[in-house]
């Protein structure tokens, strides 16, 4: 019995404890690998090549790299830094930013939770292929589409609805005659959820070991697959589609910008909440900024390297892009690559390698998404043990995955996936950018310039985005840009004019003039103060600090770009409003927006997600331009009757 216990503790060791008693990763490497595993999944090997293919040419990298550096890295710095500094998952972390952002923290988990249900069904289809990879000849030889759609997905064709000729009304709604469960898909889905349970039920002590396998082995096999694909006949022409083609006219299409941002969100994992929960198990003073950049850049390198495997096959099969013909991620994973494998010597080995890699890569993303929900539950102060919580959530998740295992599950997946990503995910990331830089310590701002000025400024800021985007769609992009910028300028001028004169000095440059000082408080104070407070924790010693341009980038560049991208979803839905499953997905995505809004209006409704001793974390009184740590130290000293001079109180404003 003791031997079995020792073996169990070796395989599933209890987590280390940090100074505050919170579970801690076995090492910094474990955290980075787990975070990389969460974002390095099927989106890298399947979705990314399909997006590059559909926007073929070097011009793809213009919006793609802009999204990486302007949105993904800054938001990831935020998610990791607040999780690490505030020692909690996304709900606790955003409650510390402001108690009215509890709904935002829950919104991130909403996205992760509902994506996880159909993501696991994708893995179930891959497991079906994996099982058949041991059969010779491969059962999809010469019948790729028939095998995928009839044998694996096994969905009954829908009766497609339609709109009137002018698109103003719905003539008929799409109906789905097939409603039965697909037995093998159900079985593999149950098996996958069991593996998820097995990897996270003991916490980061076990997960920190699992990630060495779930990330390390797929990378090795991916290198082998790339080498094989690039050695195929005519592979060079396929690779040349990306690296030797330039079509600048493509950059004028909104589609390429929308798909680039969507791909970056999907592949890096920002907006899903698991980076914050993973970071909460870090050492408190870890190098969050370096980790964030390392995670995103390694993900970018991996998906661009892995794309060579697909484009080598594209050249081999001569599947060159044609106008109006798009390559979907499912097509890449379940049709293009499997068909190429059948024509290679040793087809069974390459099929095994391909689907094993896809399975393990996707699996690390699946348990990362559920682990974020587990962290929230455990942080709430529940009396249930972690294994019990994980078991309950896995059982609920399996039940919610069953609709995707039906004879209409593929179409349900398309409907939910599109709008969760295009509406809920983009809105959540937009809210992260604007809320963290607008409402953090907002009472400091109103204390210095007055509530009226604060309100007018933000009416101009938010109104400029909302009405500017609306007019851009209704009239023209230049008209929308002019109106949006005009509303912002009008709000800024009016607020500065009506503002009180600050009694606490602004940053060096802005302190030279009364009006400039007022504008600095309204435009920059919240984001800059969040940066300063976080840097006292994540930027200590030799750690990289969050740069001074970070809040400016988040609020005035990332947020407007995301608002524009978000607006594209509504015209797209208008053309698909005859499909009940797209209506369902669109509605579900807006439930996420409702959750965030309720958190702002009625934050007490979310008390259940927080432990009693942390309910007031986001309501602490502050002093303008004084770092939070100094206020906390002074308060503690007052309670103990000691020295009331807190550290950092005299730190200059930057």
């Amino acid at each position: 019995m003791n031997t079995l216990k020792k073996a169990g503790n070796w395989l599933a060791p209890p987590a280390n404890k940090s100074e505050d008693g919170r579970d801690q990763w076995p090492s910094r490497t474990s955290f980075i690998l787990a975070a990389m595993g969460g974002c390095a999944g099927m989106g890298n090997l399947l979705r990314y090549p399909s997006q590059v293919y559909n926007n073929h040419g070097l011009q793809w990298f213009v919006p793609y790299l802009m999204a990486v550096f302007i949105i993904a890295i800054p938001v990831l710095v935020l998610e990791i830094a607040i999780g690490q500094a505030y020692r909690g998952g996304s709900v606790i972390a955003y409650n510390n930013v402001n108690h009215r952002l509890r709904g935002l923290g829950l919104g991130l988990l909403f996205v992760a939770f509902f994506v996880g249900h159909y993501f696991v069904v994708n893995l179930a289809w891959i497991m079906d292929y994996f099982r058949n990879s041991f059969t010779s000849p491969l059962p999809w030889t010469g019948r790729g589409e028939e095998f995928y759609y009839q044998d694996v997905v096994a969905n009954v064709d829908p009766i497609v609805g339609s709109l009137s000729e002018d698109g103003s009304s719905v003539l008929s709604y799409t109906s789905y005659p097939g409603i039965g469960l697909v037995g093998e898909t159900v079985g593999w889905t149950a098996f996958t959820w069991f593996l998820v349970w097995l990897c996270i039920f003991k916490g980061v002590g076990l997960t920190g070991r699992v990630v060495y396998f779930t990330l390390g082995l797929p990378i090795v096999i991916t290198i082998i697959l790339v080498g094989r694909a690039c050695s195929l006949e005519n592979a060079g022409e396929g690779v040349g589609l990306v690296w030797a083609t330039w079509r600048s006219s493509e950059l004028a299409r909104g589609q390429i910008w929308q798909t680039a941002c969507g791909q970056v969100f999907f592949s890096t994992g920002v907006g899903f909440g698991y980076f914050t929960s993973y970071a909460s198990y870090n050492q408190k003073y870890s190098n969050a900024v370096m980790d964030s950049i390392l995670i995103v850049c390694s993900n970018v390198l991996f998906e661009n390297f892995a794309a060579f495997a697909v484009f080598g096959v594209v050249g081999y099969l001569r599947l060159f892009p044609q106008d109006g013909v798009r390559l979907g991620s499912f097509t890449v994973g379940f049709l293009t690559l499997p068909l190429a494998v059948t024509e290679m010597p040793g087809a069974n080995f390459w099929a095994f390698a391909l689907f094993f890699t896809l399975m393990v890569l996707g699996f690390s993303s699946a348990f990362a998404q559920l682990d974020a929900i587990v962290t929230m539950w455990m942080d709430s102060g529940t009396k249930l043990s972690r294994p019990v919580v994980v078991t309950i959530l896995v059982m609920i998740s399996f039940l919610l995955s069953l609709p995707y295992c039906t004879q209409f599950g593929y179409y349900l997946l398309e409907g939910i996936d599109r709008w969760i990503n295009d509406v809920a995910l983009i809105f959540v990331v937009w809210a992260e950018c604007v809320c963290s830089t607008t409402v953090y310590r907002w009472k400091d701002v109103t204390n210095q310039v007055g509530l009226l000025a604060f309100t007018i400024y933000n009416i101009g800021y938010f109104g400029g985005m909302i009405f500017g985007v609306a007019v851009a769609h209704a009239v023209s992009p230049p008209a929308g840009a002019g109106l949006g910028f005009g509303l912002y300028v009008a709000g800024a001028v009016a607020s500065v004019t009506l503002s009180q004169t600050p009694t606490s000095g602004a940053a060096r440059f802005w302190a030279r003039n009364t009006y400039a000082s007022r504008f600095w408080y309204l435009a920059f104070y919240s984001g800059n103060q969040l940066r300063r407070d976080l840097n006292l924790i994540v930027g200590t010693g030799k750690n990289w600090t969050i740069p001074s341009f970070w809040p400016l980038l988040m609020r005035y560049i990332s947020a407007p770009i995301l608002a524009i991208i978000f607006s594209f979803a509504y015209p797209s839905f208008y053309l698909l409003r005859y499909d009940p499953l797209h209506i369902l997905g669109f509605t579900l995505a807006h439930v996420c927006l409702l959750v965030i809004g309720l958190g702002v209006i009625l934050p007490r409704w979310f008390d259940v997600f927080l432990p009693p001793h942390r309910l007031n974390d986001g309501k602490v009184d502050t002093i303008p331009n004084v770092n939070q740590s100094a206020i906390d130290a002074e308060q503690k000293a007052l309670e103990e009757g000691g020295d009331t001079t807190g550290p950092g109180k005299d730190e200059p404003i930057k």
Side-chain angles (χ1 to χ4, degrees):
M1 184 61 71
N2 288 333
T3 302
L4 290 175
K5 188 175 181 179
K6 288 180 180 179
N9 286 333
W10 183 84
L11 292 171
N16 299 329
K17 297 291 183 181
S18 59
E19 292 180 0
D20 58 4
R22 189 172 182 81
D23 288 355
Q24 185 173 296
W25 291 104
S27 65
R28 182 186 177 197
T29 303
S30 298
F31 161 70
I32 292 175
L33 288 178
M36 290 170 60
C39 57
M42 293 187 297
N44 300 86
L45 203 55
L46 302 184
R47 195 176 191 273
Y48 181 75
S50 71
Q51 299 300 334
V52 178
Y53 179 96
N54 295 332
N55 300 280
H56 58 287
L58 282 170
Q59 70 281 343
W60 159 262
F61 292 97
V62 175
Y64 170 73
L65 292 176
M66 285 181 65
V68 167
F69 290 102
I70 292 177
I71 301 175
I73 291 178
V75 173
L76 188 57
V77 168
L78 172 69
E79 292 187 358
I80 290 181
I82 61 175
Q84 186 173 305
Y86 299 132
R87 318 302 292 158
S90 60
V91 177
I92 283 182
Y94 274 105
N95 177 63
N96 275 264
V97 175
N98 188 282
H99 73 287
R100 293 188 182 274
L101 299 185
R102 298 169 183 175
L104 174 57
L106 193 61
L108 275 77
L109 301 182
F110 181 99
V111 173
F113 189 57
F114 282 97
V115 167
H117 302 151
Y118 63 76
F119 191 83
V120 166
V121 176
N122 280 340
L123 294 178
W125 294 339
I126 289 172
M127 290 296 294
D128 198 340
Y129 273 87
F130 180 74
R131 175 183 67 83
N132 282 285
S133 66
F134 295 95
T135 303
S136 185
L138 294 170
W140 56 84
T141 303
R143 54 186 294 269
E145 288 195 23
E146 181 184 350
F147 179 79
Y148 175 54
Y149 289 112
Q150 296 182 14
D151 296 5
V152 178
V153 175
N155 272 201
V156 178
D157 292 338
I159 301 170
V160 181
S162 62
L163 300 173
S164 61
E165 190 171 339
D166 62 359
S168 62
S169 61
V170 177
L171 297 179
S172 62
Y173 288 95
T174 300
S175 62
Y176 297 89
I179 58 173
L181 287 169
V182 180
E184 183 163 2
T185 305
V186 173
W188 285 123
T189 298
F191 175 73
T192 305
W193 278 119
F194 170 72
L195 291 181
V196 169
W197 176 89
L198 201 61
C199 288
I200 66 173
F201 83 100
K202 283 294 289 289
V204 294
L206 173 60
T207 307
R209 293 195 173 191
V210 170
V211 292
Y212 283 91
F213 170 80
T214 58
L215 187 62
L217 190 59
I219 289 176
V220 174
I221 299 178
T222 299
I223 294 172
I224 297 172
L225 287 172
V226 169
R228 182 66 183 102
C230 290
S231 67
L232 295 171
E233 181 183 356
N234 206 46
E237 289 191 36
V239 173
L241 287 173
V242 184
W243 301 106
T245 307
W246 173 259
R247 297 172 62 181
S248 58
S249 60
E250 294 290 308
L251 295 175
R253 296 189 303 114
Q255 183 77 21
I256 190 173
W257 296 88
Q258 185 180 23
T259 54
C261 287
Q263 172 60 34
V264 167
F265 291 167
F266 195 90
S267 64
T268 59
V270 294
F272 287 88
Y274 56 76
F275 286 119
T276 302
S277 65
Y278 274 178
S280 71
Y281 300 116
N282 257 348
Q283 293 183 7
K284 187 173 182 179
Y285 298 99
S286 293
N287 198 339
V289 177
M290 179 188 284
D291 291 348
S292 302
I293 294 174
L294 180 62
I295 291 165
V296 173
C297 290
S298 62
N299 180 74
V300 169
L301 290 173
F302 176 73
E303 66 184 4
N304 278 282
F305 175 76
F308 280 87
V310 174
F311 283 99
V313 168
V314 165
Y316 175 64
L317 297 178
R318 299 184 182 277
L319 295 173
F320 301 118
Q322 303 175 29
D323 290 338
V325 179
R326 298 183 63 78
L327 185 68
S329 55
F330 291 133
T331 304
V332 171
F334 297 111
L335 296 178
T336 306
L337 291 176
L339 284 175
V341 162
T342 63
E343 300 185 32
M344 296 180 187
N348 288 89
F349 170 78
W350 296 111
F352 164 83
L354 171 64
F355 292 109
F356 180 79
T357 302
L358 290 174
M359 176 185 66
V360 179
L361 276 175
F363 179 61
S364 60
S365 298
F367 69 67
Q369 290 164 359
L370 190 67
D371 198 84
I373 317 296
V374 175
T375 298
M376 178 198 69
W377 195 338
M378 297 306 299
D379 284 347
S380 69
T382 180
K383 295 181 180 180
L384 299 176
S385 65
R386 183 182 175 94
V388 172
V389 169
V390 173
T391 301
I392 293 172
L393 286 174
V394 164
M395 292 176 65
I396 293 173
S397 296
F398 169 69
L399 293 175
L400 291 174
S401 292
L402 289 179
Y404 301 99
C405 302
T406 60
Q407 294 172 333
F408 65 89
Y410 177 85
Y411 304 104
L412 175 63
L413 187 154
E414 285 189 322
I416 302 295
D417 176 69
R418 176 163 186 171
W419 304 113
I420 287 289
N421 283 281
D422 288 359
V423 175
L425 178 58
I426 291 177
F427 185 86
V428 160
V429 178
W430 173 84
E432 287 187 284
C433 292
V434 297
C435 292
S436 59
T437 55
T438 301
V439 301
Y440 181 71
R441 294 180 59 167
W442 69 278
K443 289 185 178 180
D444 288 0
V445 181
T446 59
N447 175 276
Q448 293 298 302
V449 298
L451 180 60
L452 178 63
F454 177 81
T455 303
I456 292 174
Y457 180 86
N458 284 292
I459 287 175
Y461 171 73
F462 288 102
M465 282 191 281
I466 295 170
F467 292 106
V469 166
V471 170
H473 282 284
V475 182
S476 69
L483 177 64
F485 187 70
L487 285 174
Y488 169 72
V489 171
V493 170
S495 62
V496 169
T497 303
L498 298 172
S499 169
Q500 302 171 9
T501 299
T503 58
S504 179
R508 295 187 187 96
F509 172 80
W510 302 93
R512 299 175 183 177
N513 180 277
T514 300
Y515 291 102
S517 181
R518 294 174 180 178
F519 181 75
W520 179 81
Y521 269 100
L522 291 165
F524 308 123
Y525 177 83
S526 289
N528 187 59
Q529 193 60 51
L530 176 62
R531 177 188 68 87
R532 294 178 67 212
D533 287 342
L534 289 175
N535 272 337
L536 289 177
I537 300 174
V538 303
T540 57
K542 296 183 179 179
N543 290 354
W544 292 7
T545 57
I546 302 174
S548 58
F549 63 80
W550 173 77
L552 179 68
L553 179 65
M554 292 265 285
R555 191 174 191 190
Y556 296 105
I557 300 178
S558 303
I561 290 174
L562 290 168
I564 294 170
I565 296 169
F566 176 76
S567 69
F568 291 137
Y570 292 88
S572 299
F573 173 73
Y574 188 75
L575 300 176
L576 293 169
R577 67 189 190 281
Y578 59 83
D579 191 323
L581 298 184
H582 279 274
I583 294 173
L584 175 62
F586 192 73
T587 303
L588 182 63
H590 282 78
V591 172
C592 179
L593 276 61
L594 178 62
V595 168
I596 296 172
L598 285 175
V600 174
I601 300 168
L602 298 166
R604 66 180 183 278
W605 284 16
F606 298 84
D607 286 357
V608 67
F609 300 110
L610 297 163
H613 68 280
R614 302 201 65 174
L615 287 175
N616 295 319
D617 283 1
K619 304 176 184 178
V620 178
D621 291 332
T622 54
I623 304 170
N625 291 317
V626 177
N627 287 325
Q628 186 65 54
S629 62
I631 298 169
D632 293 341
E634 186 168 341
Q635 181 63 34
K636 184 177 180 181
L638 286 171
E639 292 174 356
E640 296 176 353
D643 183 12
T644 60
T645 303
K649 187 171 182 177
D650 298 322
E651 180 184 340
I653 304 168
K654 297 179 181 178

